[in-house]
Amino acid sequence: MSSNLSYIGPAGLRLVSANEEVELLAELGIALLLFVVGLKLDPHEIKSVGPVAIIAGMGQIIMTGILGYFLANLLGFSLVPAFYIGLSLTFSSTIIVVKLLSDRQEIDALHGRIALGVLIVQDLVVVVAMILLTAFSEDSQQSLSQEIVSVVLKGGIFLLFIAFLTRYILPKLLHALAYSTELLLIFAISWAITLAAMGDSLGFSKEVGAFVAGVSLASTSYRATIGARLVSLRDFLLLFFFIDLGIHVNVSYLGAEIISAVVLSLFVLVGKTVMIMALMSIMGYGKHTSTVTSLSLSQISEFSLIIAALGLDLGHIDENVLGLITLVVLITMGVSTYMIMDSHIIYEKLLPIVSHFDKLIPHRHQKLGNLDEVDVYGVDIILFGLGRYGGSLIRALQGSDLQVLDVDFNPELVRQWRNKGLLAFYGDAKDPEFAATLPLNQAKWVISTLPGERIGLTLLHTLEYQKYQGKIALTSHTEREMEILKNAGSDLVLLPFRDAAYEAARVLVTDFNE
């Protein structure tokens, strides 16, 4: 890169030089990011992402890419720049989404798991896109057919070689190094850099090689240890990527594209959100899950910057387009941060609009919520939540004579429990219209295994409105929430972690006394 752009912001303070050290650390940061992404993709667990992540992820990528391309075209961009802009708008930020959902302890919630699944699908598409863009660059002297054959052959040999090492060499090597966490970490970083260099020499880019390195370690039992220790280093090195990018982006280009950036940002913040919400609704997910998931994915990604930087290096786009994509990244990341943090509040504000929108979409699993199809007479307990805690509670109740009606807002989970012979239905504990269809006049207990103050208070309000006369048990993860729910009218508040600890202590004491 030219030395006349070797300062932070051409119109800035010129405090940092764009020397080779900054560029090297930036490249290491990108490679490590792709390595950590690959580390999360255990080949044996990719199937567990589920159909909703695949359909919502691929459907959103296709629709956003096509509409983004035509929108960029309308804004005056030619074929190739419009393609890069449309492609950049399709990806959501893994760093932003995972960090904020983890901070809110929602990464294991249904909407958190779906969002993570969609991000995995997007990450896979990013890698494929980078391979194709690099292979079909302007510098190539081969025909398209020759390029395809070359890519397939080189890629196939490379992957077979890595598969052989993953199957026969890496597990034994990692086991030998595992006695020292430091050695394990050093090997992981060295492995990522080695495959990044191999990927670059084969023409697939360093990022693709680092991604493959991560996938090769993902099926080992040491991936969690490696991933946890690399996160801080990854975040530190990624700072240099953003510094290097900022150094080489002229502020005048950002200002020149402010109107286009605002239009494209609104398309991402609103249009992309609506697309994901519609796709999830068609898959059978409720208003709350669809809305909160889509709000989580309403930004464009750090990978968009990587794609744009790659396009600039390949000569496909100019700095004007790079500046536009950078500005859209800044706007959407900034706004979507607040959208994620306040997603439940935003959902409540948008509930009238969301409810009307939800009615316009045909739900694939609508019959799963139809209680008229079966006889629900004699129900003793209505239980909301069929996840790990709810499922364990159901199994414990199966030996009794109690009739339990089970409700969950995950249609795939409802279908699984129905196949086991349970009286399971699709519905949302926060939906007053669904609560009105339940046999509340028969049930002696309504139990919610869904943790959280907001869900508990909403269910209490709904049951009060329906004049429910039985008892209510809610679930909490904290003592503070437990007091709030008790004061609001809950007869019993379940604390799974505390109760599990008490039971474990009881078993241990009994064992010692024997």
Side-chain angles (χ1 to χ4, degrees):
M1 297 182 180
S2 59
S3 60
N4 62 338
L5 290 174
S6 59
Y7 303 96
I8 291 183
L13 299 177
R14 302 191 174 195
L15 296 177
V16 179
S17 299
N19 50 33
E20 294 179 359
E21 289 82 0
V22 173
E23 292 185 15
L24 175 62
L25 290 172
E27 291 177 356
L28 286 174
I30 297 170
L32 201 57
L33 170 64
L34 270 294
F35 176 72
V36 173
V37 168
L39 205 58
K40 297 176 182 177
L41 296 180
D42 184 349
H44 302 295
E45 295 181 1
I46 292 177
K47 295 184 296 183
S48 67
V49 170
V52 63
I54 297 172
I55 293 175
M58 292 304 300
Q60 178 272 139
I61 287 171
I62 293 170
M63 289 192 293
T64 305
I66 293 173
L67 294 176
Y69 166 79
F70 284 112
L71 182 58
N73 212 244
L74 289 174
L75 291 171
F77 292 93
S78 57
L79 177 66
V80 175
F83 167 77
Y84 269 89
I85 292 170
L87 182 63
S88 298
L89 299 181
T90 62
F91 308 116
S92 301
S93 174
T94 302
I95 292 176
I96 295 290
V97 175
V98 173
K99 178 68 168 65
L100 293 179
L101 289 181
S102 298
D103 289 347
R104 292 173 60 83
Q105 297 182 344
E106 294 181 358
I107 198 70
D108 289 327
L110 178 59
H111 65 271
R113 297 198 305 271
I114 295 173
L116 188 59
V118 171
L119 289 169
I120 289 173
V121 172
Q122 292 181 353
D123 293 342
L124 291 172
V125 174
V126 167
V127 174
V128 173
M130 288 194 298
I131 291 174
L132 294 177
L133 291 174
T134 305
F136 305 142
S137 64
E138 289 181 350
D139 297 332
S140 175
Q141 302 298 317
Q142 296 178 314
S143 66
L144 182 60
S145 59
Q146 290 175 320
E147 283 286 358
I148 293 174
V149 172
S150 175
V151 168
V152 171
L153 284 176
K154 289 190 296 184
I157 294 172
F158 180 54
L159 292 177
L160 284 174
F161 173 67
I162 300 304
F164 172 80
L165 294 178
T166 303
R167 177 67 178 84
Y168 297 104
I169 306 298
L170 288 179
K172 296 177 182 178
L173 182 58
L174 289 172
H175 183 70
L177 297 173
Y179 73 91
S180 171
T181 307
E182 289 75 14
L183 279 177
L184 197 63
L185 187 63
I186 291 171
F187 169 77
I189 296 173
S190 302
W191 179 245
I193 294 173
T194 299
L195 290 200
M198 288 180 65
D200 188 47
S201 64
L202 291 172
F204 294 133
S205 82
K206 296 179 285 294
E207 293 81 7
V208 172
F211 176 81
V212 172
V215 173
S216 69
L217 300 183
S219 58
T220 69
S221 56
Y222 305 104
R223 65 169 182 153
T225 302
I226 295 171
R229 289 185 171 262
L230 282 179
V231 167
S232 298
L233 180 61
R234 176 203 67 187
D235 293 345
F236 172 71
L237 290 175
L238 275 177
L239 290 175
F240 291 94
F241 167 71
F242 290 105
I243 290 172
D244 187 57
L245 185 67
I247 288 171
H248 296 92
V249 173
N250 196 315
V251 176
S252 62
Y253 289 125
L254 298 181
E257 298 296 338
I258 186 67
I259 295 177
S260 297
V262 170
V263 172
L264 293 172
S265 297
L266 287 173
F267 169 70
V268 171
L269 293 168
V270 179
K272 191 174 178 180
T273 302
V274 172
M275 289 178 211
I276 297 173
M277 192 188 306
L279 288 166
M280 289 187 61
S281 296
I282 292 171
M283 289 290 293
Y285 289 83
K287 300 187 291 289
H288 181 267
T289 303
S290 302
T291 303
V292 176
T293 304
S294 60
L295 289 172
S296 300
L297 299 168
S298 58
Q299 72 286 126
I300 67 173
S301 171
E302 57 279 354
F303 288 117
S304 302
L305 295 175
I306 295 171
I307 290 285
L310 179 62
L312 183 65
D313 289 340
L314 296 174
H316 294 167
I317 61 174
D318 56 22
E319 290 184 333
N320 195 32
V321 177
L322 176 61
L324 171 62
I325 294 173
T326 303
L327 193 52
V328 176
V329 168
L330 296 175
I331 294 172
T332 57
M333 279 189 174
V335 175
S336 70
T337 298
Y338 295 98
M339 292 171 68
I340 296 172
M341 296 300 293
D342 297 327
S343 57
H344 300 288
I345 297 174
I346 294 173
Y347 166 74
E348 292 176 359
K349 300 289 185 184
L350 296 176
L351 189 55
I353 299 173
V354 171
S355 298
H356 180 70
F357 175 77
D358 191 61
K359 292 176 182 177
L360 299 176
I361 297 175
H363 285 253
R364 175 184 160 195
H365 299 290
Q366 197 164 19
K367 289 184 178 180
L368 293 177
N370 188 0
L371 275 71
D372 296 332
E373 293 184 349
V374 297
D375 182 14
V376 294
Y377 180 77
V379 168
D380 299 299
I381 297 173
I382 299 174
L383 188 145
F384 289 94
L386 300 177
R388 286 174 294 184
Y389 184 47
S392 299
L393 188 56
I394 291 169
R395 294 185 189 95
L397 291 171
Q398 280 182 327
S400 67
D401 295 328
L402 297 174
Q403 175 80 344
V404 183
L405 188 153
D406 307 302
V407 180
D408 199 281
F409 49 74
N410 184 342
E412 301 301 331
L413 202 55
V414 171
R415 193 180 297 279
Q416 291 174 19
W417 281 105
R418 277 196 176 188
N419 292 337
K420 295 177 182 178
L422 267 70
L423 194 63
F425 292 91
Y426 168 72
D428 195 337
K430 300 177 292 301
D431 187 351
E433 295 179 9
F434 175 75
T437 67
L438 295 170
L440 295 174
N441 59 327
Q442 302 176 36
K444 296 178 177 62
W445 277 93
V446 170
I447 303 173
S448 171
T449 63
L450 305 170
E453 173 188 336
R454 185 181 300 276
I455 293 176
L457 293 176
T458 303
L459 183 58
L460 282 171
H461 177 74
T462 299
L463 294 174
E464 181 183 0
Y465 179 78
Q466 296 296 331
K467 296 182 171 53
Y468 172 65
Q469 299 299 314
K471 294 185 177 182
I472 304 169
L474 302 176
T475 300
S476 170
H477 283 168
T478 66
E479 298 280 349
R480 184 189 67 83
E481 282 186 354
M482 181 184 72
E483 293 301 323
I484 292 173
L485 295 175
K486 276 188 175 180
N487 294 333
S490 178
D491 297 285
L492 175 65
V493 178
L494 307 170
L495 274 77
F497 299 121
R498 184 199 64 180
D499 297 343
Y502 286 168
E503 177 62 17
R506 185 190 66 78
V507 172
L508 289 171
V509 171
T510 302
D511 182 71
F512 274 106
N513 290 335
E514 292 176 354

